[in-house]
Amino acid sequence: ESYRGLPHKLRHSIQWLYKHTKAQWFTKVDDDMLVRIPSLEQFIEHIEKQQNETQSISFKDQPTIIGDIIYDSEVAKDGKWADLDYDKWTYPPWPRGASGYVFNRPVAK
């Protein structure tokens, strides 16, 4: 297991969860984090209710990620974290893993 292998490992974990569960929401947290499940459930219910009242598309069908989303982060082209395989200068928006995040079934699909 290596740092560079984490995206692959995470992708396969999400695929497994999607295939083997009927869960509508998933969370990704580090092993040194604590999740208050009742509070998280209340928060998601609040967000779903709010979105359903203001959106014409069902929130359940809308791909949703909740967390510390990073925008316009530059791709390192040299040094320890260089990503020479990615040919763009910035990454698309991505959730910071160290902060933990929640995503729904359409994202896992």
Side-chain angles (χ1 to χ4, degrees), residues 12-84:
H12 283 282
S13 298
I14 292 169
Q15 289 172 340
W16 188 94
L17 289 166
Y18 184 83
K19 183 177 179 182
H20 296 283
T21 74
K22 294 184 193 279
Q24 296 303 305
W25 288 91
F26 306 93
T27 185
K28 187 274 179 199
V29 296
D30 287 352
D31 62 356
D32 61 350
M33 295 180 76
L34 172 70
V35 179
R36 295 181 177 149
I37 299 297
S39 297
L40 181 58
E41 286 176 328
Q42 287 177 345
F43 178 74
I44 290 171
E45 287 170 5
H46 174 76
I47 296 292
E48 285 178 333
K49 183 180 177 193
Q50 212 173 33
Q51 288 292 325
N52 287 334
E53 291 172 355
T54 61
Q55 303 284 330
S56 58
I57 186 172
S58 170
F59 186 67
K60 186 173 89 171
D61 300 325
Q62 177 92 15
T64 304
I65 302 173
I66 302 168
D68 183 13
I69 308 300
I70 308 302
Y71 296 90
D72 300 319
S73 64
E74 290 185 19
V75 176
K77 296 298 181 183
D78 57 15
K80 181 179 180 179
W81 305 111
D83 188 349
L84 303 176

